[in-house]
Amino acid sequence: MAKQVAVLAGDGIGPEIMAEAIKVLDKLKLDIKYKEADVGGAAIDKHGKALPQETIDACRESAAILFGAVGGPKWEKLPPEQQPERGALLPLRKIFDLYANLRPAKIFAPLADASTLRPDIIEGGLDLLIVRELTSGIYFGDPKGITEEEGFDTMRYKKHEVERIAKVAFEAARKRGKKVTSIDKANVLSTMVFWRNTVTEVHKKYPDIELSHMYVDNAAMQLVRNPKQFDVILAGNMFGDILSDEASMLTGSIGMLPSASIGEGGFGLYEPIHGSAPDIAGKGIANPLAQILSSAMLLRHSLNMESEARKIESAVEEVLNEGYRTGDIMSVGCQKVNCAEMGNLVSEKIG
Ligand code: NAD
């Protein structure tokens, strides 16, 4: 039976870039049904809330969610919990227990000059994946609070929480460079001693994967000193939050980066890391590549279609090698294309 994917395009450039991702997926002629549903500001306008029940139901009956972007000035005056991002993405993460956040940071060779790093540091390509625990750790631990005299939070990890995120990292490494660097602060924090011990225990089931441990302060430094040493970086919620932003900025182009938030049984939500870009919405000039690459991640992680995922990624690489660029990644001597033209070029390279 055909698998179903819920398609939540959202606001701003969301629908424009989503149309291109679906165009590329269609070209692969996969046995997938796409179910569109409203989310974000568009859903507030139509149904009165950012995540209507119909949308939750559409996601529940699907194997994965392909998400565009939500938000915009029109909804900024609503109470925070009703706004598009808080009102849609946070509940989706909670309802589907999306505990693993996967953020690749890859520099496509022809875009190397967009990086803030010296060319010799990224020569030969930077390609790493950050696996961040998303639903526990210091952002969620109890007790937390503020009094006149102090502010406090609790960093806490349960064994099963560390085990399941470590598994995600080892499985991901198996499909890549077979190396995991686990980030902690085991020299200072008890939670992190526990983290290191648990990751080491889980590693016993993955003898084909090389595991090393690194303190978070050193990792922050190594990411700018020698980022090519990394394949998969495994981190808890707060350290992963910081390191994934640092790593994505090394690539220099926000319109290029996909992400995934994964739950049990392979279910996941896949989205570009950028927002709804209201400043360029409706102009047809957005870069659709982060959305297209998010659909490749969906095929890889939720539908087990590794070779199809690679087809999409290679097609993107070829188009960039041939010198085609949307405005945000434009450089001298390249051919400027709009959103739909970029989608056409990528889909022409497939099959
Ligand atoms: P943004 O990522 O939307 O835009 C930042 C800058 O990058 C803008 O100049 C924009 O034009 C550019 N940009 C982003 N994506 C691009 C693309 N694909 N092609 C070309 N240029 C691109 O961030 P922002 O301006 O801070 O936020 C705008 C809205 O998006 C806000 O309402 C915010 O809440 C929302 N947002 C949503 C998500 C999400 O849906 N996950 C994430 C971040 C921000």
Side-chain angles (χ1 to χ4, degrees):
M1 209 175 75
K3 291 236 164 100
Q4 179 171 298
V5 169
V7 176
L8 278 51
D11 310 314
I13 60 169
E16 301 166 40
I17 55 178
M18 186 64 85
E20 302 314 312
I22 299 294
K23 191 188 275 176
V24 171
L25 285 169
D26 278 346
K27 196 71 195 292
L28 282 166
K29 297 196 170 35
L30 304 168
D31 192 18
I32 299 177
K33 271 193 332 188
Y34 301 99
K35 172 115 178 178
E36 290 184 19
D38 297 315
V39 74
I44 295 174
D45 289 351
K46 215 160 140 190
H47 310 269
K49 50 166 125 164
L51 186 65
Q53 189 58 45
E54 294 94 307
T55 301
I56 299 172
D57 294 343
C59 295
R60 260 216 183 97
E61 51 190 51
S62 300
I65 305 168
L66 189 58
F67 193 94
V70 293
K74 186 174 175 192
W75 306 283
E76 267 164 16
K77 295 205 174 65
L78 289 171
E81 63 288 353
Q82 287 172 32
Q83 286 184 17
E85 235 183 307
R86 287 269 302 267
L89 268 173
L90 292 190
L92 276 172
R93 280 187 194 147
K94 202 164 170 205
I95 294 167
F96 294 102
D97 193 17
L98 303 175
Y99 62 86
N101 188 223
L102 272 53
R103 289 257 299 254
K106 178 174 162 117
I107 294 186
F108 289 90
L111 300 183
D113 54 355
S115 174
T116 49
L117 296 182
R118 277 204 326 263
D120 59 304
I121 295 189
I122 51 167
E123 212 142 62
L126 164 67
D127 182 5
L128 58 90
L129 174 73
I130 302 208
V131 175
R132 166 191 169 196
E133 202 288 326
L134 201 58
T135 54
S136 185
I138 193 164
Y139 292 173
F140 293 93
D142 270 331
K144 58 167 71 202
I146 305 177
T147 69
E148 288 275 300
E149 301 302 322
E150 61 174 356
F152 53 95
D153 294 279
T154 303
M155 183 183 262
R156 184 188 300 263
Y157 265 112
K158 298 245 189 290
K159 191 161 192 172
H160 78 272
E161 292 171 335
V162 184
E163 283 172 347
R164 67 182 186 173
I165 193 73
K167 269 190 218 154
V168 171
F170 289 125
E171 297 287 343
R174 238 179 212 162
K175 295 177 183 164
R176 301 174 38 100
K178 300 195 163 40
K179 240 168 74 175
V180 170
T181 308
S182 174
I183 308 301
D184 60 44
K185 190 73 185 164
N187 49 343
V188 180
L189 299 168
S190 313
T191 333
M192 291 289 107
V193 174
F194 180 78
W195 174 279
R196 187 178 282 217
N197 292 344
T198 310
V199 172
T200 304
E201 194 62 35
V202 175
H203 177 237
K204 288 184 183 150
K205 294 208 187 87
Y206 297 88
D208 52 323
I209 310 293
E210 186 189 322
L211 170 67
S212 58
H213 303 274
M214 192 180 275
Y215 297 140
V216 63
D217 39 354
N218 186 23
M221 188 174 76
Q222 294 298 333
L223 265 176
V224 286
R225 198 186 73 87
N226 177 19
K228 282 187 291 183
Q229 69 185 285
F230 296 112
D231 176 27
V232 173
I233 293 179
L234 164 65
N237 205 342
M238 179 167 64
F239 296 161
D241 190 4
I242 298 164
L243 294 181
S244 59
D245 270 17
E246 183 187 357
S248 64
M249 278 304 116
L250 301 181
T251 71
S253 35
I254 193 173
M256 296 292 306
L257 294 172
S259 76
S261 302
I262 294 180
E264 292 297 354
F267 186 88
L269 181 150
Y270 301 82
E271 59 174 335
I273 69 158
H274 62 70
S276 58
D279 52 334
I280 56 166
K283 297 187 178 158
I285 58 168
N287 183 349
L289 294 178
Q291 187 75 66
I292 290 170
L293 292 168
S294 299
S295 72
M297 287 190 87
L298 184 152
L299 298 184
R300 170 173 295 120
H301 295 288
S302 281
L303 300 184
N304 214 8
M305 296 182 179
E306 176 65 29
S307 69
E308 289 82 355
R310 286 195 186 202
K311 268 189 201 159
I312 295 179
E313 289 160 352
S314 309
V316 168
E317 194 134 24
E318 271 183 67
V319 170
L320 293 172
N321 275 328
E322 288 173 8
Y324 295 104
R325 305 278 189 276
T326 44
D328 59 314
I329 50 172
M330 186 62 193
S331 62
V332 189
C334 291
Q335 167 83 35
K336 195 164 175 181
V337 294
N338 65 27
C339 183
E341 286 165 340
M342 184 55 101
N344 290 341
L345 284 162
V346 175
S347 58
E348 277 160 21
K349 295 281 176 217
I350 291 174

